[in-house]
């Protein structure tokens, strides 16, 4: 009861903070918590009791059902996800940057694996040097065993139908672990679905203690690996292919959310040395830099690659004729490809005997595409250029790409991102058939590869923010197009079908049919709205770049993002996060009435505004005067602090003949029918939203 009265932010902070207390710092944290709660309570704008939704039309399209506004679905407490916006502390500062005592763990990997294409089995060994930078002594660690999703009876196989995108399609696989050691001592792994607990023979000391974890493992490669890995005849796309350290952080301790299918990953940064042994005729593409080109490439291939590394034009490293010849050639034996990747949280790779391979470069970064032709579609002949263009765009707009290469591979996986390496589905002859996915997947190099958020908890922090970036790239690639209508339509579909959940919902708990809306397009659209109509591009762009810089190669939480944007833009945006991230409500502000007034010879117009949902918003309106001119006005969000009605009284230079809310039409007001009065002035023509 008390929780309800004190309001969601306070209550959730409390709920969260209690769970993450470490006994030895509990007293200190308590003090911080109380300060945070007090500050939180004072700064929060007054929030109105919810309006009766059933009485009004909030649908974008007439006739849409109102079921989505049922009380329970609107209530973030009713969902199973927890909301992590704790009070600031020494680890995460109140300004949304890492605090003076920020720490994160480190995991360095050496992996050697071999692929048997006859049995479709991968067998390998991994050695993980795990560094405990936390202030805590660890007596056990958790390791991710993602292949166990394909074990009969896994949680994910129960949750997602076998024939769905994340479903296992009847395949029976999973990890076999044959030898697990910590610091050379054999340990018994304890498996909990896709997570594995290893009890350490000796405690791992805080602030720099190291443990070496060595695991021998094997698994059968699923044909359909939840659209994140898999194989198609001779082509293998390999990811989640070695046991990976779970993240231990200051927010939740061990992050042990299982891999269910729809939720993605949360991993520690480190350096990787990995080698894969494949049939001798195979060509392997992977994260990182190839370490032994003289052992696996011909002299001519190495010469072409060296030339591409200095050239902005696309150079074939393996031509179509060479790929076609390789397809029918049988080569006995195996070859081992060695790669090294620094400062990444994962590595993935792909292999096939008949790849075409194109390469080009920009700014010292090698861009590569690998595809089986003609199966991939002619579009793939543009993939190296599309990769180069994408990496350059995001580098110039947001943050310089920090890695030496970027690779796109064509295959059965529709679209999936790994450090320096993305998988994109086959295309048609039209270059546009793959551009959106090439661009989107490489956008992930910034979120979550550079900015390492917890994807398994917050789709909006990687997919949503990435989709925000994609709007900039798409509008630049196709001038005159707007990202806005498509994003809005997708969100509106989820609203109309009643499948919405708050953006804070963990991805595995989002209705699969609404994943595109809730994970991707609504967050992208509300961030565009925040930038363009609340804080302004100049402030937002600066704050957003600061957020990337502050959290590059680190683990930000939602609260860190919110604080970072508020600090950088100088705005209290509690109302914005609350409305668009913690509820499923939509914006609907309308005009009830317009009246002329005069006082001491000055004419005024009184515009009676009505907020019909729980979502406040700064109001922009344009008035039309009898003399044919127009004038624009803006009101701050504070007008909604005292009620859901507000009379805006502004000086009018002539008789007002019409009024229009949102003269810029890219404000997602759900009900345009109440946005105008009289003979409204025209709105700005729809257009790009990333200028
Ligand atoms: Zn994505």
């Amino acid at each position: 009861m008390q929780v309800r009265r004190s309001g969601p932010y306070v209550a959730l902070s409390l709920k969260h903070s209690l769970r993450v207390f470490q006994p030895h710092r509990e007293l200190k944290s308590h003090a911080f918590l109380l300060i945070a709660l007090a500050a939180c309570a004072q700064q929060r704008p007054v929030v109105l009791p919810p309006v009766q939704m059933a009485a009004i039309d909030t649908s974008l399209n007439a006739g849409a059902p109102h079921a989505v506004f049922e009380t329970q679905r609107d209530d973030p407490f009713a969902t199973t996800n927890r909301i992590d916006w704790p009070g600031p502390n020494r680890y995460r500062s109140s300004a949304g940057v890492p605090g003076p005592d920020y720490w994160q763990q480190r995991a360095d990997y050496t992996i050697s694996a071999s692929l048997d294409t006859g049995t479709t089995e991968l067998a390998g060994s991994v050695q993980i040097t795990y560094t405990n930078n936390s202030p805590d002594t660890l007596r056990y660690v958790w390791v991710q065993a993602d292949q166990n999703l394909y074990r009969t009876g896994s949680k994910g196989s129960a949750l997602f139908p076998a024939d769905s995108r994340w479903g296992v399609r009847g395949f029976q696989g999973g990890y076999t672990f044959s030898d697990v050691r910590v610091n050379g001592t054999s340990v018994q792994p304890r498996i909990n679905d896709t997570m594995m607990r290893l009890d350490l023979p000796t405690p791992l000391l805080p602030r720099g203690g190291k443990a070496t974890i060595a695991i021998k493992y094997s698994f059968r490669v699923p044909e359909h690996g939840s659209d994140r890995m898999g194989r198609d005849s001779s082509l293998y796309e390999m990811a989640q292919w070695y046991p990976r350290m779970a993240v231990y952080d200051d927010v939740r301790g061990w992050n042990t959310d299982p891999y269910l299918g729809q939720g993605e990953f949360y991993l520690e940064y480190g350096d990787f040395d990995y080698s894969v042994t494949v049939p001798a005729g195979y060509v392997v593409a992977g994260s990182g830099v190839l370490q032994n080109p003289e052992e696996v490439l011909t002299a001519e291939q190495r010469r072409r690659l060296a030339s591409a590394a200095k050239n902005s034009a696309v150079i074939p490293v393996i031509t179509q004729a060479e790929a076609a010849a390789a397809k029918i050639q049988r080569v006995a034996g195996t070859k081992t490809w060695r790669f090294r990747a620094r400062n990444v949280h994962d590595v993935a790779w792909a292999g096939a005997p008949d790849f075409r391979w194109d390469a080009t470069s920009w700014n010292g970064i090698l861009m590569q595409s690998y595809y089986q032709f003609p199966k991939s579609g002619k579009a793939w002949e543009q993939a190296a250029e599309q990769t180069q263009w994408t990496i350059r765009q995001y580098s110039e707009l947001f943050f310089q790409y920090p890695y030496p290469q970027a690779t796109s591979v064509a295959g059965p996986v529709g679209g999936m991102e790994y450090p320096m390496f993305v998988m994109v589905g086959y295309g048609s002859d039209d270059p546009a058939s793959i551009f959106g996915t090439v661009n989107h997947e490489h956008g992930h190099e910034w979120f979550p590869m550079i900015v390492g958020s917890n994807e398994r908890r917050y789709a909006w922090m990687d997919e949503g923010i990435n989709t925000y970036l994609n709007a900039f790239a798409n509008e630049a690639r196709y001038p005159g197009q707007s990202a806005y209508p498509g994003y809005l339509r997708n969100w509106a579909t989820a609203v109309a079908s009643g499948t919405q959940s708050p953006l804070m919902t963990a991805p595995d708990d989002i209705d699969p049919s609404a994943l595109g809306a809730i994970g991707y397009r609504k967050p992208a659209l509300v961030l565009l709205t925040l930038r363009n109509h609340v804080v302004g591009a100049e402030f937002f762009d600066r704050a957003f770049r600061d957020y990337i810089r502050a959290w590059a190669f680190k683990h930000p939480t939602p609260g860190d993002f919110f604080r970072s944007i508020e600090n950088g833009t100088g705005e209290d945006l509690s109302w914005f996060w609350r409305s668009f991230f913690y509820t499923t409500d939509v914006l609907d502000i309308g005009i009830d009435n317009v009246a002329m007034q005069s006082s001491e010879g000055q004419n005024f117009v009184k515009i009676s505004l009505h907020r019909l949902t729980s979502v406040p918003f700064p109001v922009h309106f344009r008035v039309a005067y009898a003399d044919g001119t127009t004038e624009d006005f803006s009101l701050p969000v504070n007008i909604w602090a005292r009620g859901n009605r507000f009379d805006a009284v502004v000086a009018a230079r002539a008789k007002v003949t019409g009024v229009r809310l949102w003269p810029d039409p890219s404000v997602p007001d759900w009900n345009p029918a109440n946005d105008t009065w009289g003979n409204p002035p025209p709105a700005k023509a729809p257009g790009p939203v990333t200028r």
Side-chain angles (χ1 to χ4, degrees), residues 264 415-417 440-441 444 447 462-463 466-467 470 520:
E264 297 189 63
M416 187 58 204
E417 67 279 8
H440 174 85
E441 304 311 335
H444 279 301
F447 299 89
D462 82 305
E463 297 298 355
N466 182 27
T467 305
N470 303 158
Y520 297 64

Side-chain angles (χ1 to χ4, degrees), residues 283-285 355-357 368-372 380 407-410:
V283 169
V284 174
F355 272 139
R356 274 177 75 172
W357 178 3
Q368 310 177 84
S369 62
Y370 298 75
Y371 53 102
Q372 294 169 306
W380 271 89
T407 292
S408 304
V409 173

